[in-house]
Amino acid sequence: MTWELILRVALVAVAFLTLPLLVGQTEHKVMAHMQARLGPMYAGAFHGWAQLIADGVKFAQKEDVTPRAADGPVFRLAPAVALLPYLLVLLVIPLGPGDLVGQQLDVGLFFVLAVVGVGVIAVLMAAWASANKYSLLGGLRAAAQLLGYELPFVLSAASVAMAAGTLSLPGIVAAWEPWWLLWQLPATIVFFVSGLAEIRRPPFDMPIADSELVFGYMTEYTGLRFAFFLLAEYVGIVVISALTAALFLGGWHGPWAESVGWLWMLLKTGAVAFVVIWLRVSWPRLREDQLQRLCWLVLVPLALAQLVLTAGVRVALS
C-alpha cells in the first residue's frame, strides 16, 4: 500500500513537471502562428522545437537578485507557495476510471476549491516583500480579483456537484451524462471564466499590467524565481483545464472509455488549454472596473441562477 501511494505521488510529480512545459511550448507555437511571429520558430531549427529549452537556459543564467529593502525570507518563499497548491490539486484530479487518480477523496471538490484559494497568499507575499510600490499595487489588484472571482468559481462548481450528488471528483465524472453539456452550460462558462481570472491569464491580467505596473507583483523577481512564477501560471492552466474537463466535459467519458479513458481526459484538457491560449492572443485586457463588473453583475447572478435551476432539476428527477 505504501509503495502504491509513493508511485502515485511520483507519477503526479512527473505530470506536474512535464504537462506545464508542454502547455508552454504549445503557447509559443500557437501565438507564433496567430500573430505571425517568426522568432519562436527558429530555435532548434525544425519549427523552433528548442525554444522552451532556450528560455530555460536564459532564466538559469540570469542573476538572482533580492532587493536590499525586501523581506528576504518571504520574498524567496513566495514562488514556492505559488506552485504548491497546484501540485496538491493534481493529486486528486482523476485521469481515468478506476484507480487512475493520485489520491481519491470523498470531498475532493471541496479540497480543490480550498487549496486553489491559497494562491492569493503567494501573490500578497511577493507584493509586500518586494518593497516596491508597483509590486504592492499589483498584489492588491490581484487580491481583489482573486477574492471576487472565488465566489462564482465556487458557485459554478457547486452546481455540478449538486447535479452529481457527490463532492468526489471521480464520482462527479462517473455521474456525468451527455445532456449535462446543455443544462450545465452556464456553469461551465462561469467556471472557465472565473478560472482564467484565478490564474490571472489574459484578459484578466490586470495585476501584472505592464503598461502601468511594470510587471506587478513579479516586478522585482529575476532568474529562476521569476521562472517559477511563470511555471505556476502554466500549471494553473493545466489545473483549470483539467478541472473544466472533469467537472463539465465528462472527463474520461468517450468511446472505449474503459481502456482509453485517460486519453479522452488528456484530449479534453488539451482542448480547453488551447482555448486559454487562444484568448490570450485574441482578447484585449479588461480594465479594473470592467473586470469587477463582469464578476459581480454577470458571473455571480448567472451562477446563482444555475444553482436554482440545478436544484429544481434535482427535485423534479427525485
Side-chain angles (χ1 to χ4, degrees):
M1 190 68 179
T2 303
W3 286 109
E4 181 182 357
L5 179 60
I6 293 174
L7 178 60
R8 289 172 183 271
V9 173
L11 291 175
V12 170
V14 171
F16 175 76
L17 294 174
T18 56
L19 291 179
L21 298 181
L22 292 176
V23 171
Q25 181 75 348
T26 303
E27 182 169 66
H28 275 106
K29 304 311 167 188
V30 170
M31 291 180 63
H33 281 293
M34 288 185 173
Q35 298 178 330
R37 297 167 60 196
L38 298 179
M41 295 298 180
Y42 277 90
F46 177 71
H47 212 67
W49 66 267
Q51 181 62 50
L52 202 64
I53 298 175
D55 286 342
V57 172
K58 175 188 70 175
F59 283 124
Q61 289 179 335
K62 285 188 175 182
E63 184 179 3
D64 183 14
V65 177
T66 300
R68 184 178 302 171
D71 187 332
V74 177
F75 182 85
R76 288 186 286 269
L77 187 60
V81 176
L83 278 169
L84 183 60
Y86 297 124
L87 173 60
L88 296 177
V89 169
L90 285 176
L91 284 170
V92 300
I93 296 179
L95 181 60
D99 295 330
L100 287 180
V101 59
Q103 182 63 44
Q104 186 165 332
L105 297 178
D106 292 336
V107 290
L109 182 59
F110 180 81
F111 174 82
V112 166
L113 297 176
V115 171
V116 168
V118 174
V120 68
I121 297 178
V123 172
L124 291 176
M125 288 173 63
W128 176 259
S130 294
N132 180 303
K133 62 182 180 181
Y134 297 108
S135 298
L136 183 58
L137 287 172
L140 293 177
R141 282 185 181 180
Q145 176 174 316
L146 294 177
L147 293 176
Y149 278 86
E150 190 76 21
L151 182 58
F153 189 70
V154 171
L155 290 175
S156 56
S159 174
V160 73
M162 183 187 299
T166 178
L167 287 173
S168 167
L169 290 178
I172 292 173
V173 179
W176 183 87
E177 298 289 344
W179 68 286
W180 287 19
L181 291 172
L182 294 177
W183 78 293
Q184 290 293 324
L185 180 60
T188 306
I189 296 173
V190 171
F191 185 87
F192 177 70
V193 172
S194 301
L196 284 181
E198 287 286 313
I199 59 176
R200 300 168 297 284
R201 286 284 299 185
F204 301 97
D205 58 339
M206 181 56 68
I208 53 174
D210 51 317
S211 59
E212 51 187 301
L213 293 179
V214 188
F215 213 58
Y217 57 89
M218 292 189 284
T219 297
E220 296 293 350
Y221 282 90
T222 59
L224 288 178
R225 290 198 179 94
F226 182 79
F228 286 157
F229 270 117
L230 292 184
L231 180 62
E233 178 180 329
Y234 288 123
V235 181
I237 295 175
V238 173
V239 166
I240 295 301
S241 300
L243 286 173
T244 303
L247 295 175
F248 300 99
L249 302 181
W252 64 71
H253 286 279
W256 309 292
E258 290 300 324
S259 56
V260 295
W262 58 271
L263 181 59
W264 285 113
M265 179 64 180
L266 289 177
L267 288 175
K268 292 174 183 178
T269 301
V272 177
F274 176 81
V275 174
V276 174
I277 297 169
W278 188 5
L279 288 175
R280 174 178 180 176
V281 178
S282 59
W283 202 267
R285 176 184 295 140
L286 296 178
R287 298 195 313 264
E288 187 68 22
D289 61 313
Q290 294 172 330
L291 188 146
Q292 295 296 340
R293 188 179 298 115
L294 174 64
C295 174
W296 295 105
L297 299 183
V298 178
L299 297 184
V300 171
L302 188 59
L304 290 173
Q306 179 65 47
L307 272 177
V308 173
L309 173 63
T310 303
V313 172
R314 286 287 294 179
V315 170
L317 294 177
S318 60

